[in-house]
């Protein structure tokens, strides 16, 4: 039995729904395959600016009407921008589901970008930039993208730069959307206790008039990676460090095994090898994480930690030691079993969040044209072998191919 149902509108917009009978809450969203990597140099930050401006007025609503539409029934309206996606989504009591669908379609496709609101929102986003800059952990991750991907759009900050944000106009917003909008690359996703027939009827009601649009844009893959070592002084007391490199793309068969390897190495579990070594054994860090993000045509491995400046070399040496262990020593049968069980448990718990599942369905359809069942993913996890993981470690944990970015205490 399929875990979801799918229908395609004449415009190419796809409707995907999962019925969950035991919930009273409905989650729904419109996800577009447009992100910061689709911006030209003078447009940096425009996708994120669009996300903000979508809430500032439509053909029939002012901004305060948008804000109050779902809040007055206890619902939540939100949005986010990534390197490859823009998403508008809502959560509320299922009895108000139609209100959410109508509002999401309004802000996604009928925003008018009032000039006065554009001027106000510039200040808001500049304050957002300042907030991130004042948080060295966040700034480190944003800046490290640029170290790994350099001049490629994947290396630019999703927020843009102060110069580009100050230059944006209504016409630029409209042109960016027109250049990148492709209705065959749009998903309306929902999870609720509603049957698919009702969800389809309501989604059609508000999305059927969206005209078919296509885009001729081409995303260029990064190439010519060279490891970089960058050190910057910042007005901080703790050193912040990032290590990483490009990794496997979405369609690569090594994606899930590598995700498993990174999870063992430095994932969210307190028993990750990096946490057990650097925090529990030596007390060098408060937190340390490793993450793997796949994109359409590449991927990204990042390792992040903060430490006392005098401990940087020791911390990096311990990270390299754990990498070397994974390169040189194959996992024992028990270690491999525990690694698989931990990952499957984490995946199952993440699916317990209906909102997360709704967003995952939309992203998966856009990225891979399917939504894998948990059973299918578990089968793939169970098929991974210890030699596979060791081969991946030897390829991806080559210290000579890692880039680094370090924020050290000092004057700017």
């Amino acid at each position: 039995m399929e875990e979801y149902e799918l229908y395609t509108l004449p415009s190419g917009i796809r409707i995907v729904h999962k019925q969950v009978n035991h919930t009273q809450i409905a989650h729904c969203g419109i996800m577009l395959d447009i992100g910061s990597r689709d911006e030209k140099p003078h447009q940096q930050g425009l996708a994120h600016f669009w996300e903000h401006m979508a809430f500032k007025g439509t053909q029939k609503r002012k901004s305060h009407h948008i804000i109050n539409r779902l809040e007055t029934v206890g619902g939540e309206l939100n949005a986010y921008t990534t390197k490859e996606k823009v998403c508008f989504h809502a959560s509320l009591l299922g009895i108000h589901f139609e209100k959410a669908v109508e509002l999401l379609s309004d802000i996604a496709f009928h925003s008018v970008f009032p000039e006065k609101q554009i001027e106000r929102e510039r200040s808001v986003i500049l304050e957002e930039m300042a907030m991130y800059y004042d948080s060295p952990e966040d700034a480190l991750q944003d800046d490290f993208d640029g170290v790994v991907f350099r001049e490629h759009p994947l290396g630019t900050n999703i927020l843009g730069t102060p110069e580009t944000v100050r230059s944006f106009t209504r016409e630029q917003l409209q042109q960016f959307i027109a250049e990148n909008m492709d209705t065959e690359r749009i998903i309306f996703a929902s999870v609720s206790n509603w049957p698919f027939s009702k969800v389809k009827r309501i989604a059609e009601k508000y999305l059927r008039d969206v005209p078919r649009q296509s885009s001729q844009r081409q995303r260029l893959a990064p190439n010519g990676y060279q490891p970089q070592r960058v050190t910057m002084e910042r007005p901080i007391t703790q050193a912040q460090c990032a290590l990483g490199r490009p990794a496997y793309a979405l369609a690569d068969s090594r994606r899930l095994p590598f995700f498993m390897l990174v999870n063992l190495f430095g994932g969210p579990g307190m028993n990750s090898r990096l946490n057990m070594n650097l925090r529990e054994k030596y007390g060098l860090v408060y937190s340390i994480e490793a993450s793997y993000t796949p994109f359409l045509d590449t991927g990204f491995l990042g390792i992040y930690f903060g430490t006392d400046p005098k401990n940087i070399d020791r911390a990096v040496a311990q990270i390299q030691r754990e990498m070397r262990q994974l390169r040189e020593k194959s996992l024992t049968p028990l270690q491999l079993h525990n690694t698989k069980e931990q990952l499957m448990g984490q995946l199952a718990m993440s699916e317990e969040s209906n909102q997360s599942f709704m967003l995952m369905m939309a992203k998966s359809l856009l990225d891979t044209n399917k939504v894998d069942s948990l059973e299918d993913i578990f089968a793939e996890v169970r098929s991974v072998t210890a030699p596979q993981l060791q081969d991946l470690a030897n390829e991806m944990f080559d210290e000579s191919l890692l880039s680094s970015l370090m924020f050290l205490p000092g004057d700017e």
Side-chain angles (χ1 to χ4, degrees):
M1 178 180 174
E2 291 285 354
E3 294 192 4
Y4 64 92
E5 295 178 89
L6 185 65
Y7 175 75
T8 303
L9 294 169
S11 64
I13 296 175
R14 283 173 284 177
I15 300 166
V16 61
H17 174 67
K18 178 180 179 180
Q19 185 174 4
V20 178
N21 293 323
H22 59 263
T23 183
Q24 296 187 55
I25 304 300
H27 304 277
C28 57
I30 295 174
M31 187 175 291
L32 305 96
D33 195 36
I34 304 171
S36 62
R37 72 170 300 176
D38 302 310
E39 299 161 349
K40 299 178 176 69
H42 69 281
Q43 296 174 326
Q44 287 180 23
L46 200 49
H48 176 256
F49 200 82
W50 168 28
E51 173 216 314
H52 276 239
M53 286 303 304
F55 293 80
K56 300 307 174 184
T58 67
Q59 294 169 4
K60 63 181 181 182
R61 285 187 173 93
K62 295 188 181 297
S63 60
H64 63 277
H65 294 138
I66 294 171
I67 292 170
N68 281 308
R69 178 65 171 162
L70 302 186
E71 294 281 347
T72 54
V73 294
E76 296 178 354
L77 177 66
N78 215 330
Y80 63 85
T81 305
T82 69
K83 302 283 186 179
E84 297 184 330
K85 306 286 185 287
V86 170
C87 182
F88 306 99
H89 60 97
S91 301
L92 75 177
L93 280 169
I95 56 174
H96 301 299
F97 176 72
E98 185 167 353
K99 287 185 177 181
V101 180
E102 187 274 334
L103 181 63
L104 288 171
S105 64
D106 195 29
I107 64 174
F109 302 110
H110 304 293
S111 292
V112 293
F113 313 125
E115 295 284 0
K116 288 184 179 179
Q117 292 284 6
I118 287 177
E119 295 307 317
R120 289 183 190 135
E121 210 57 27
R122 279 193 224 284
S123 299
V124 172
I125 293 175
L126 290 170
E127 288 300 323
E128 186 178 359
M129 287 181 179
M131 179 182 72
Y132 276 97
Y133 185 81
D134 285 343
S135 172
E137 298 92 342
D138 294 328
L140 178 80
Q141 296 192 25
D142 286 338
D143 289 356
F144 190 50
D145 291 348
V147 173
V148 172
F149 293 115
R150 305 189 75 180
E151 301 302 316
H152 189 272
L154 285 173
T156 61
N157 193 318
I158 289 172
L159 300 181
T161 68
E163 293 73 27
T164 56
V165 170
R166 291 189 182 103
S167 72
F168 292 153
T169 65
R170 184 170 182 265
E171 290 71 26
Q172 282 181 303
L173 273 168
Q174 293 170 328
Q175 182 181 5
F176 176 74
I177 295 169
E179 288 174 348
N180 289 281
M181 182 74 74
D182 189 329
T183 46
E184 292 190 354
R185 305 293 301 160
I186 297 173
I187 303 291
F188 171 81
S190 74
V191 173
S192 72
N193 62 8
W194 284 48
F196 183 59
S197 58
K198 288 188 175 180
V199 171
K200 176 186 167 186
R201 174 177 55 80
I202 291 172
E204 276 191 299
K205 179 179 177 181
Y206 296 106
L207 295 172
R208 67 187 172 205
D209 292 334
V210 176
R212 175 179 282 274
Q213 294 173 261
S214 61
S215 171
Q216 302 303 313
R217 114 195 140 190
Q218 289 186 326
R219 286 173 167 168
L220 300 177
N223 57 49
Y225 169 72
Q226 294 292 329
Q228 307 293 314
R229 308 281 189 270
V230 179
T231 301
M232 302 171 64
E233 290 190 347
R234 297 284 293 270
I236 53 179
T237 56
Q238 185 187 50
Q240 295 292 328
C241 308
L243 304 170
R245 56 165 295 171
Y248 306 115
L250 277 161
D252 197 301
S253 62
R254 295 165 293 184
R255 181 183 66 160
L256 189 138
F258 186 58
F259 183 77
M260 184 189 302
L261 179 67
V262 174
N263 199 57
L264 165 69
F265 176 60
M270 293 293 287
N271 65 338
S272 76
R273 293 196 173 192
L274 290 183
N275 192 70
M276 293 298 289
N277 185 321
L278 277 82
R279 174 176 169 147
E280 299 301 327
K281 186 174 182 180
Y282 293 108
L284 295 173
V285 301
Y286 173 70
S287 66
I288 183 167
E289 64 170 310
S291 61
Y292 160 52
T293 305
F295 297 114
L296 173 71
D297 42 23
T298 186
F300 179 76
L301 168 67
I303 305 160
Y304 306 97
F305 67 95
T307 190
D308 189 292
K310 70 176 184 293
N311 290 328
I312 288 178
D313 291 342
R314 190 178 174 201
V316 171
Q318 289 302 321
I319 292 170
Q320 292 174 341
R321 177 182 179 276
E322 292 301 328
M323 286 182 165
R324 188 164 57 251
Q325 288 274 340
L326 289 167
R327 292 199 308 267
E328 296 175 354
K329 295 181 63 176
S330 181
L331 297 185
T332 67
L334 179 59
Q335 288 172 330
L336 180 63
H337 172 78
N338 289 342
T339 297
K340 292 178 179 181
E341 289 295 316
Q342 180 168 359
L343 180 59
M344 289 189 291
Q346 291 170 346
L347 292 171
M349 284 193 289
S350 68
E351 194 169 295
E352 283 289 295
S353 166
N354 288 335
Q355 182 188 70
S356 296
F357 189 84
M358 179 272 294
L359 296 171
M360 181 278 292
M361 285 196 303
K363 184 177 186 300
S364 185
L365 279 171
L366 287 174
D367 287 340
T368 66
N369 222 26
K370 62 179 181 176
V371 180
D372 289 322
S373 69
L374 202 56
E375 289 74 19
D376 289 339
I377 297 171
F378 282 3
E380 189 177 353
V381 169
R382 293 188 182 104
S383 72
V384 175
T385 66
Q388 268 185 291
L389 296 180
Q390 189 174 9
D391 287 345
L392 292 175
N394 274 287
E395 181 177 353
M396 298 304 297
F397 290 166
D398 182 342
E399 297 150 20
S400 67
L401 295 178
L402 294 179
S403 291
S404 66
L405 172 62
M406 298 192 179
F407 289 170
L408 301 180
D411 297 329
E412 297 184 65

